[in-house]
Amino acid sequence: MLKLSTRYRYGLRILVSLADNGDCYSSIKHLCDSQELTVKYIESIIAILNKKGMVISKRGALGGYKLSKPADAITLKEVQETLNESVFFLECIEKPETCTDRSNSCPSRLLWLAVKARIDEILESLTIKDLCEASRLADIETIIASRIQSP
Amino acid sequence: MLKLSTRYRYGLRILVSLADNGDCYSSIKHLCDSQELTVKYIESIIAILNKKGMVISKRGALGGYKLSKPADAITLKEVQETLNESVFFLECIEKPETCTDRSNSCPSRLLWLAVKARIDEILESLTIKDLCEASRLADIETIIASRIQSP
DNA sequence: ATTTTTCCTATTTCTTTAATAGGATATGTT
DNA sequence: AACATATCCTATTAAAGAAATAGGAAAAAT
């Protein structure tokens, strides 16, 4: 439980690479050189991003992928939703029909609503551009602190 | 990814039930009446809690389970670790040998270190007793707010 | 034509979770 | 002693999702 999928981890790395590459098209092969992944596996991940319109593709020689919008317009929440569409953090919240009547006296539900709210707060406040910067600075806490207001 | 396991959800509900029952032994059958689970499945969950010494068992007629320590001495983090021993939120952190050299320039790693820190902060600050209270109040945010200092 | 590269569809493998099953052992009650 | 109530123990199966691989079709540049 609460395991981070490699699909999302790699997806983020791919998007960060594309962002660093600016307006050029990066081929999967090129993305592979910097990452230790197979062409086929990256392909399957980027295919999802492509179908959702997060990247623009160009076929044939000199083709590849680039971001479909500025890196600071892509939130990490958006990426998560794209890459893990059918998986629900908490079914009884996202699909109420699964566990209707327990509602607000269910301790698990209350706890995870609270946890999820905090995760989402971070994922919504950060963008791919922030990740690029965090990677350069080797620090993300400062960026988060500047985004999220303390109550 | 980031899916909450039913094992943990049910485990919490079981512990909250035991807490509400005070010093009496609750049989699995009794726990079943309030929850919509089979005897066998609850048994398999509570067996884990028992092996780790979180509950005390008594066999035979009038037997059952009760908490091994006060409900306010059992943190939710402890429960999570007990029920999901072998699952790592982020392998490259918890088992560094998996992904050594990417370290602090890996965007995923930075992000999830930050997210994990916030989840752990909540899980460590709350106890089973808090969950009992949250369940009664149908609110957990007030409790969390009183525990976690804003920076 | 040839090379590069995306695109599409399918399959396999692996891990983990979820759930079930049968019977052994202990304990209180009658 | 017999019986009912419970935990305990050890498997096994089923289902889901994640991870990874495979082969070839289609497009575009040189």
Side-chain angles (χ1 to χ4, degrees), chain B residues 69-75 78 127-129:
Chain B
K69 52 183 176 179
D72 60 2
I74 304 175
T75 69
E78 191 182 342
T127 67
I128 292 295
K129 190 182 175 194

Side-chain angles (χ1 to χ4, degrees), chain B residues 35-88:
Chain B
Q35 332 255 336
E36 71 287 9
L37 301 171
T38 65
V39 174
K40 286 292 180 184
Y41 193 38
I42 291 199
E43 214 182 287
S44 72
I45 295 172
I46 216 167
I48 304 172
L49 299 171
N50 193 19
K51 248 171 224 159
K52 292 297 169 59
M54 298 191 64
V55 297
I56 291 173
S57 67
K58 191 184 170 191
R59 291 174 121 190
L62 301 189
Y65 300 90
K66 65 179 183 182
L67 298 184
S68 65
K69 52 183 176 179
D72 60 2
I74 304 175
T75 69
L76 303 190
K77 180 69 185 161
E78 191 182 342
V79 179
Q80 184 236 299
E81 281 168 348
T82 300
L83 291 177
N84 289 92
E85 244 193 336
S86 59
V87 179
F88 302 104

Side-chain angles (χ1 to χ4, degrees), chain B residues 4-136:
Chain B
L4 182 61
S5 69
T6 65
R7 186 156 76 231
Y8 186 39
R9 282 198 289 129
Y10 294 159
L12 284 183
R13 296 226 294 251
I14 289 168
L15 290 171
V16 166
S17 275
L18 294 184
D20 284 337
N21 250 331
D23 205 47
C24 306
Y25 285 97
S26 313
S27 71
I28 289 179
K29 208 172 178 181
H30 177 265
L31 290 171
C32 272
D33 291 342
S34 39
Q35 332 255 336
E36 71 287 9
L37 301 171
T38 65
V39 174
K40 286 292 180 184
Y41 193 38
I42 291 199
E43 214 182 287
S44 72
I45 295 172
I46 216 167
I48 304 172
L49 299 171
N50 193 19
K51 248 171 224 159
K52 292 297 169 59
M54 298 191 64
V55 297
I56 291 173
S57 67
K58 191 184 170 191
R59 291 174 121 190
L62 301 189
Y65 300 90
K66 65 179 183 182
L67 298 184
S68 65
K69 52 183 176 179
D72 60 2
I74 304 175
T75 69
L76 303 190
K77 180 69 185 161
E78 191 182 342
V79 179
Q80 184 236 299
E81 281 168 348
T82 300
L83 291 177
N84 289 92
E85 244 193 336
S86 59
V87 179
F88 302 104
F89 182 73
L90 201 53
E91 263 201 330
C92 66
I93 296 172
E94 283 149 298
K95 288 163 77 185
E97 66 274 18
T98 324
C99 179
T100 44
D101 43 34
R102 308 219 125 253
S103 68
N104 284 334
S105 68
C106 173
S108 297
R109 189 170 185 280
L110 287 168
L111 169 66
W112 290 103
L113 269 174
V115 170
K116 186 176 189 299
R118 275 148 189 85
I119 297 178
D120 283 350
E121 187 183 32
I122 294 181
L123 296 187
E124 277 161 15
S125 75
L126 295 178
T127 67
I128 292 295
K129 190 182 175 194
D130 293 324
L131 271 198
C132 294
E133 205 179 319
S135 176
R136 267 192 298 274

Side-chain angles (χ1 to χ4, degrees), chain A residues 1 27-28 43 50 57 59-61 64-65:
Chain A
M1 73 135 215
S27 71
I28 290 180
E43 215 183 286
N50 193 19
S57 68
R59 292 173 123 189
Y65 300 90

Side-chain angles (χ1 to χ4, degrees), chain A residues 3 5 7 80-81 83-91 94-95 116, chain B residues 1-4:
Chain A
K3 192 186 158 90
S5 70
R7 187 157 73 230
Q80 184 237 297
E81 281 168 349
L83 291 177
N84 289 93
E85 246 195 335
S86 60
V87 178
F88 301 104
F89 182 74
L90 200 53
E91 264 201 330
E94 282 149 297
K95 290 163 75 184
K116 185 175 190 299
Chain B
M1 73 137 217
L2 284 190
K3 191 186 158 91
L4 182 61

